[in-house]
Amino acid sequence: MSEPLPSWRDPAAPNPIQSEMEALRQKLDLDVPAKRDVSRNLLIATWNIKAFSSLTEKWLADDNDSPKRDYRGLWAITEIISRFDVIALQEIKGDLKALRTMMKTLGPDWQFLMTDVTRGDAGNNERMGFIFDSRRVRLSGLAGELVIPEDGVIGSGALQRQFARTPYAVSFLAGKDTFILTTLHVDFGSDSAGRIPELQGIAEWLYEWAGQANAYGQNFIALGDFNIDRHGDDLWQAFTSTGLTVPAELHGVKRSIFAKDNDPQLKKYYDQVAWFESGGKRQLNLDYVTAGSFDFVPLIYTETDFTKATKQHRLSDHYPLWAEFNCRS
């Protein structure tokens, strides 16, 4: 008979885990808006959780354990995810042990949808998915992957192949508002120039689809890991070429745990939450409030000598990004 699953917020958890989790909750209270009545606010997030796959069933995985993600790291990830209404996840792998353990921990009110694994070297055996609090949002009927037409042309024809990992779109309903979330993970490739056609292709695809979706009163938001190096570079120009707009509050936040304030080369702009703010039928109808990211690195494994390079395998190398909206009741 297997051991019972340790409780996510178990007061009997060993120290310093109890104090770490309490410090994490207090920081989340400060940095992430509280969930109010769903008719008043909606919290949408995105997070590339590095190689979100299996789990070592210990509070602290040691040097001989594989994977390094343990209960302590997973509980921190779970606490962060619980603060949002719906969150897009990238880098879910073929092995779903960590994900399924997290879903059991969150409880029956939480649900998820995800793709199958993407085959091929570029696909990296990854899935993309959405986790959502069914007390706050519900599915509204659409779920699908975006693929290149048979003639191989999208818009200007910048992308002449299929997406490395096909973008995943799901529609949700909160209050009286329907919104379609489209998430993707752009192929990093061998150089940054190789990412431009995929970014240009998704920008044109989203522009066309957003016009159709918004014609029916549906809001359209793109989010995920776009592997953009820096604000204003050629990758950024391709991403925003059809009018996708990133809120000002996200322009200055760090996406990578390795980013340094004094080194612009490390201010990576990988992850984004974006929508169209103009263009008639493409305009967002949700009332945008604010946005931000969340830095978990100083709060977990505090009594160890773990470096960021070590922590990335237990938590992630990316920070979660979030945006808050108001909905109609």
Side-chain angles (χ1 to χ4, degrees), residues 255-318:
R255 272 76 168 167
S256 167
I257 69 171
F258 299 107
K260 296 180 181 178
D261 291 330
N262 59 353
D263 187 349
Q265 293 301 312
L266 290 177
K267 288 187 176 180
K268 301 302 185 183
Y269 218 55
Y270 297 148
D271 308 280
Q272 301 294 341
V273 180
W275 55 86
F276 297 97
E277 288 193 342
S278 61
K281 293 178 180 179
R282 294 174 180 81
Q283 190 166 355
L284 190 74
N285 297 317
L286 287 169
D287 180 20
Y288 168 70
V289 180
T290 190
S293 67
F294 182 74
D295 182 0
F296 48 80
V297 173
L299 303 169
I300 309 299
Y301 301 106
T302 53
E303 91 293 359
T304 72
D305 59 357
F306 290 165
T307 63
K308 289 181 179 180
T310 300
K311 289 184 179 182
Q312 68 173 325
H313 299 289
R314 298 168 187 262
L315 295 158
S316 182
D317 54 341
H318 290 242

Side-chain angles (χ1 to χ4, degrees), residues 12 18 73 93 95 103 114 118 141 163 172 183 186-187 193 197 207 210 223 228 230 252 313 316 329:
Q18 290 183 55
K93 305 288 275 186
D95 187 327
M103 296 308 299
M114 65 182 177
T118 306
F163 295 108
F172 297 90
T183 187
V186 168
D187 182 22
Y207 181 79
L223 68 175
I228 297 169
R230 285 173 292 283
H313 299 289
S316 182
S329 58

Side-chain angles (χ1 to χ4, degrees), residues 18 35 47 99 110 127 144 147 164 189 246 257:
Q18 290 183 55
K35 293 184 182 182
W47 197 1
L99 176 70
W110 286 81
R127 310 172 189 262
V147 296
V246 175
I257 69 171

Side-chain angles (χ1 to χ4, degrees), residues 35-38 41 85 133-138 173-174:
K35 293 184 182 182
R36 302 189 299 275
D37 187 285
V38 75
N41 80 332
D85 296 320
D133 185 346
S134 65
R135 297 165 297 185
R136 305 268 299 170
V137 302
R138 59 188 186 276
L173 183 65

Side-chain angles (χ1 to χ4, degrees), residues 52-53 74 89 92 95-104 112 114 131:
F52 197 41
S53 183
L74 184 62
L89 296 185
I92 303 170
D95 187 327
L96 298 175
K97 185 174 182 178
L99 176 70
R100 293 194 179 281
T101 302
M102 181 171 66
M103 296 308 299
K104 291 177 183 177
F112 71 94
M114 65 182 177
I131 296 177

